[in-house]
Amino acid sequence: MTEKKRALITGITGQDGSYLSEFLLDKDYEVHGIIRRSSSFNTNRIDHIYQDPHNPHVSLFLHYGDLTDGTTIRRILEEVRPVEIYNLGAQSHVRVSFDSPEYTVDTVAMGALRLLEAIRDYQYRTGIEVRFYQAGSSEMFGKVQEVPQKETTPFYPRSPYSCAKVYAHWQTLNYRESYNLFACNGILFNHESPRRGETFVTRKITRAVARIVAGKQKKLYLGNLDSKRDWGYAKDYVRAMWMMLQQEQPDDYVIATNETHSIKEFLEIAFTHVNLNWQDYVEFDPRYLRPAEVDLLIGDCTKAKEKLGWQPSVTFTELVHLMVDSDIKALEKSNMVGSGFD
Ligand code: NAP
Ligand code: F7E
């Protein structure tokens, strides 16, 4: 019997980590994920694919670790011996990165470097190739220097988060060129789903719509409604990550839908879907403004289409509808309680 391919995922408990795990398990991979110790359960996005480790045919394994802890990362790499590593772990909230810049940079920038260093040593010592995916972000384009943005568009990051992602991007490229690592940067534009964190604007809106319909919420407080984003569906985007690591040569790719929409347009579609008018519910709260904003993002994913054969499968309107429908269903199933931290 041939051995299963082994993949290691940082950030397996996040939106993308959970979809990527499902995708790789479907492809018959053995999937290993790094999870953080938490005082409350943080595995709800992967509970449905969790397997009892006592089962001899188990193919999903979880390891305690943290991107700020290089020793543990090295130990996990030695134990797991993966052929592919997907670095999805991050303090990924742009607004929060202004409040916690050092921690964000430690996780996002230094975390990527710790992984690259561990892979470099492991590969040098064992001669085994480890393919590396770095979760780059359209936030790196920040104050955009070109419309639409593609792989060659200069970066102009506007937050601690995106400065850290730019560092991780260049280190990934640097390790590829210096040590011949098979290391790829995905430059992914915003991608959403019913599993999106509740404090990102899309999910905050769709969750509020569900709660308003159910009579559990009266108002929705938001910040800047004029910024524009290129929003896609997370399931489509994790497929692109895997495709990058299956190519003959490592490279960097923009993954996007080539469309841009404002927060107002998102609100319009989400509220109209349940026959409500968003202007009756949305209030401005300056708390949600950022010290520096990214006004417009729109990606050009021609390279990914031509070289990977990748393309998105869900339209903007379908995405908004599927998120609203999912939150309505989830609320019907359980009594959702607002956390207050949004
Ligand atoms: P997410 O839902 O916020 O998930 C982040 C993951 O990272 C979670 O599993 C989290 O663990 C983990 N994590 C946080 N700090 C960590 C640390 N110090 N050590 C180890 N793990 C840590 O993010 P996502 O939306 O799935 O995004 C995945 C990756 O793509 C991130 O790197 C993000 O920056 C990047 N990205 C996202 C988008 C997007 O639109 N979604 C676009 C471009 C790039 P807990 O569950 O314990 O918090
Ligand atoms: O904000 C505006 C906010 O937090 C989108 C992360 O996954 O995608 C994400 O970063 C826009 C911004 O996502 C609220 O000012 C208004 O203009 O949903 P967001 P983001 O900052 O684009 C990129 C690609 C990543 O890499 C990141 O990891 O919405 N906005 N009012 C608001 N945003 C939030 N969160 N909350 C509000 O109340």
Side-chain angles (χ1 to χ4, degrees), residues 92-94 137-139 161 188-190 196 199-201 204 221-224 227 229 263 288 290 293-294 342:
S92 72
H93 202 285
V94 175
S137 165
S138 53
E139 282 291 300
Y161 167 79
L188 272 52
F189 282 63
N190 297 53
R196 183 57 142 154
T199 63
F200 295 96
V201 77
K204 186 171 165 182
Y221 293 94
L222 294 174
N224 176 18
S227 57
R229 292 289 183 271
I263 315 295
Y288 301 117
R290 293 152 190 211
E293 177 62 283
V294 171
D342 43 9

Side-chain angles (χ1 to χ4, degrees), residues 2-3 48 73 121 139 149 176 182 241 275 302 306:
T2 51
E3 259 200 0
H48 62 290
I73 288 174
D121 290 348
E139 282 291 300
Q149 297 85 51
R176 180 163 84 213
F182 193 108
M241 297 173 188
N275 299 317
T302 306
E306 287 176 355

Side-chain angles (χ1 to χ4, degrees), residues 10-18 34-38 42-43 45 65-68 87-93 103 107-108 133-139 161 165 186-192 195-197 200 231 234 237 241:
T10 73
I12 193 168
T13 56
Q15 170 189 257
D16 292 3
S18 65
I34 297 183
I35 61 165
R36 302 192 290 172
R37 195 271 156 180
S38 158
N42 60 355
T43 53
R45 291 192 182 98
D66 197 296
L67 281 162
T68 59
N87 182 29
L88 311 185
Q91 188 304 91
S92 72
H93 202 285
Y103 175 69
T107 308
V108 173
Y133 172 82
Q134 166 57 25
S137 165
S138 53
E139 282 291 300
Y161 167 79
K165 284 286 184 191
I187 306 173
L188 272 52
F189 282 63
N190 297 53
H191 45 281
E192 320 292 313
R195 294 186 201 165
R196 183 57 142 154
F200 295 96
W231 279 297
Y237 286 47
M241 297 173 188

Side-chain angles (χ1 to χ4, degrees), residues 181-295:
L181 295 193
F182 193 108
C184 298
N185 286 296
I187 306 173
L188 272 52
F189 282 63
N190 297 53
H191 45 281
E192 320 292 313
S193 74
R195 294 186 201 165
R196 183 57 142 154
E198 290 87 346
T199 63
F200 295 96
V201 77
T202 55
R203 185 76 198 289
K204 186 171 165 182
I205 294 169
T206 61
R207 194 168 173 269
V209 167
R211 289 170 57 80
I212 288 167
V213 168
K216 287 176 177 284
Q217 186 171 331
K218 289 195 167 35
K219 293 287 175 198
L220 167 61
Y221 293 94
L222 294 174
N224 176 18
L225 304 186
D226 294 320
S227 57
K228 293 180 138 191
R229 292 289 183 271
D230 179 330
W231 279 297
Y233 182 40
K235 261 192 178 181
D236 283 337
Y237 286 47
V238 301
R239 182 162 37 87
M241 297 173 188
W242 175 79
M243 286 172 137
M244 287 178 213
L245 296 198
Q246 313 313 309
Q247 301 307 302
E248 282 196 2
Q249 296 299 328
D251 207 341
D252 308 325
Y253 299 90
V254 159
I255 301 297
T257 69
N258 300 36
E259 272 186 39
T260 192
H261 299 276
S262 66
I263 315 295
K264 279 184 187 150
E265 285 174 79
F266 195 104
L267 283 165
E268 180 72 37
I269 297 175
F271 278 80
T272 305
H273 189 48
V274 294
N275 299 317
L276 294 176
N277 181 354
W278 68 267
Q279 278 101 340
D280 295 337
Y281 301 93
V282 174
E283 302 274 341
F284 173 67
D285 185 339
R287 193 152 54 117
Y288 301 117
L289 296 179
R290 293 152 190 211
E293 177 62 283
V294 171
D295 297 319

